[in-house]
Amino acid sequence: MFNSDISIDLGTATVQVYIKNKGIVLSEPTVIAVNTDTNEVRAAGDAALEMLGRTPPNIQAVRPLHDGVISSFTLAKEMIKIFLRRVLSRTAGHPRIMMCVPSGVTDVEQRAVIEAAREVGARDVYIIEEPVAAALGAGFDISRAHGTLVVDIGGGTTDIAVMSLGGIVASRSLKIAGDEFNEAIERYMRRACNLYIGPRTAERIKREIGSVVKRENELFCEAKGLCVITGLPRAVTVSSNDIYGIFDDFVYNITERIKETLEDTPPELHGDIMEDGIILTGGGSLIYGLDAKIEEAVGVKCRRADDIINCVVKGAAKALESVDTITDTTHIFHKKAYIRD
């Protein structure tokens, strides 16, 4: 692995950048702020997130990836370039870059990502899909003839994949993940509490008291927003035992897609999956009780990976480290692009 090798997890909610021997050097929200009058980029990452919902009409703070899809190629490229320029000052020469993307991205979206890396001086660019990187980051040797089932729940998508011999044997991708959990909280607050809240408040509620099962020890969280009735600021207290049921449909859809993936999996791999269990990765997997609900619905033990938040970017780094020793990269790397001679 070259000293300047970089791996990037381009997530719907968060972008993470890993550099060899330095670890994770950047972990910031996938948000960019733009002046719509001049098309000037004002901020990206943490600074842009602070502007979300608080900007004047001519400043838009937006997320260029939505539901695992690049909704704005131009803004996504600008955001990637901003992040890469920040970290390239810490490396020498033209780095090789491994970009980790949701499994549903198109060739056009991949080209936009590659072009962004090229414009800031990348030498070679590789693309790897999230569930593959997640499995590597969780410590699994997917090159063996052994079935591994990973469920990666990010901000915009849930990617489900059974892997063996370095490739994806069966998979599903659905646009239900952390963002949909947040939107469900926003809807609940409007309906049950007559309170408008923003996505950041919904995210905080999810992190502090979010659950898909009733907790034995009830938790509470204060939420501030705009009263639907009076149009004035208002604060309410929310209970974990009031909101856990609003996620039932999401959990049902995830478990049904896991079952479909298992139905598509050759019988010989089922024993391996029963032995290892279902491995959960991604920030969306942290919601309380989700592992138990999946285990109950599917009938296979389910556990969270170690270092669950950083699995994907660390797995991408492992893939890039071994790229020169793999004779056939087509199974592991969805696309390889040589940018410079």
Side-chain angles (χ1 to χ4, degrees):
M1 186 174 184
F2 293 14
N3 287 331
S4 59
D5 280 354
I6 295 173
S7 60
I8 302 172
D9 175 15
L10 186 62
T12 302
T14 306
V15 174
Q16 289 188 309
V17 180
Y18 182 102
I19 300 179
K20 184 192 175 184
N21 297 327
K22 297 178 183 177
I24 296 173
V25 298
L26 185 145
S27 180
E28 297 198 22
T30 312
V31 182
I32 187 168
V34 181
N35 185 321
T36 57
D37 292 337
T38 64
N39 291 325
E40 175 191 3
V41 175
R42 296 292 301 271
D46 288 328
L49 182 65
E50 289 297 319
M51 300 179 183
L52 201 62
R54 298 175 175 174
T55 61
N58 66 323
I59 303 293
Q60 288 188 351
V62 299
R63 297 173 64 177
L65 278 77
H66 184 70
D67 290 341
V69 176
I70 297 178
S71 55
S72 170
F73 292 103
T74 301
L75 294 182
K77 286 177 62 176
E78 288 302 314
M79 183 190 66
I80 293 169
K81 287 192 286 185
I82 289 170
F83 288 146
L84 283 176
R85 288 189 183 110
R86 289 184 195 172
V87 302
L88 285 176
S89 61
R90 312 180 194 190
T91 65
H94 298 292
R96 300 189 304 177
I97 295 179
M98 179 70 76
M99 301 286 290
C100 187
V101 297
S103 57
V105 298
T106 65
D107 287 342
V108 174
E109 290 168 334
Q110 288 184 29
R111 283 197 295 271
V113 168
I114 291 167
E115 287 173 11
R118 178 189 61 192
E119 290 178 20
V120 295
R123 186 168 67 88
D124 296 343
V125 180
Y126 301 86
I127 300 291
I128 187 171
E129 294 183 357
E130 283 182 356
V132 178
L136 291 170
F140 289 93
D141 180 4
I142 63 172
S143 65
R144 298 184 299 152
H146 184 93
T148 301
L149 173 54
V150 171
V151 179
D152 181 59
I153 306 177
T157 60
T158 293
D159 290 306
I160 304 160
V162 174
M163 284 159 282
S164 179
L165 288 173
I168 294 178
V169 177
S171 66
R172 291 290 188 281
S173 182
L174 63 159
K175 301 182 188 304
I176 292 176
D179 288 348
E180 279 64 38
F181 288 2
N182 293 349
E183 290 170 7
I185 292 173
E186 291 183 54
R187 290 192 296 269
Y188 170 83
M189 296 300 292
R190 286 196 301 270
R191 183 183 69 251
C193 304
N194 292 319
L195 191 73
Y196 285 118
I197 62 171
R200 295 184 66 191
T201 300
E203 173 71 20
R204 180 174 59 82
I205 294 171
K206 181 182 70 177
R207 289 178 180 273
E208 292 184 8
I209 66 170
S211 172
V212 298
V213 297
K214 189 172 183 178
R215 293 178 183 260
E216 292 184 7
N217 299 317
E218 189 174 9
L219 299 179
F220 298 91
C221 176
E222 184 181 65
K224 298 176 182 178
L226 184 69
C227 179
V228 173
I229 299 171
T230 67
L232 298 174
R234 179 175 168 231
V236 300
T237 299
V238 191
S239 163
S240 60
N241 290 345
D242 288 337
I243 67 170
Y244 76 92
I246 67 176
F247 305 124
D248 284 350
D249 287 345
F250 299 149
V251 176
Y252 173 79
N253 276 296
I254 290 172
T255 56
E256 286 301 299
R257 300 297 86 74
I258 294 173
K259 292 176 184 178
E260 290 175 4
T261 305
L262 287 169
E263 289 172 2
D264 291 344
T265 301
E268 292 296 332
L269 298 180
H270 281 224
D272 302 330
I273 295 169
M274 291 290 293
E275 180 182 343
D276 294 343
I278 300 168
I279 311 303
L280 296 181
T281 64
S285 302
L286 291 173
I287 193 164
Y288 182 83
L290 183 59
D291 53 344
K293 290 282 278 189
I294 292 175
E295 183 171 327
E296 178 185 9
V298 181
V300 178
K301 65 182 179 181
C302 182
R303 63 182 177 89
R304 296 185 179 96
D306 296 332
D307 198 13
I308 192 169
I309 297 296
N310 304 316
C311 266
V312 171
V313 73
K314 288 185 175 180
K318 286 184 179 180
L320 187 54
E321 187 171 4
S322 62
V323 70
D324 290 329
T325 64
I326 299 174
T327 56
D328 181 7
T329 62
T330 55
H331 289 158
I332 294 181
F333 310 124
H334 189 61
K335 184 178 180 69
K336 181 170 112 174
Y338 291 100
I339 302 303
R340 293 177 180 271
D341 296 329

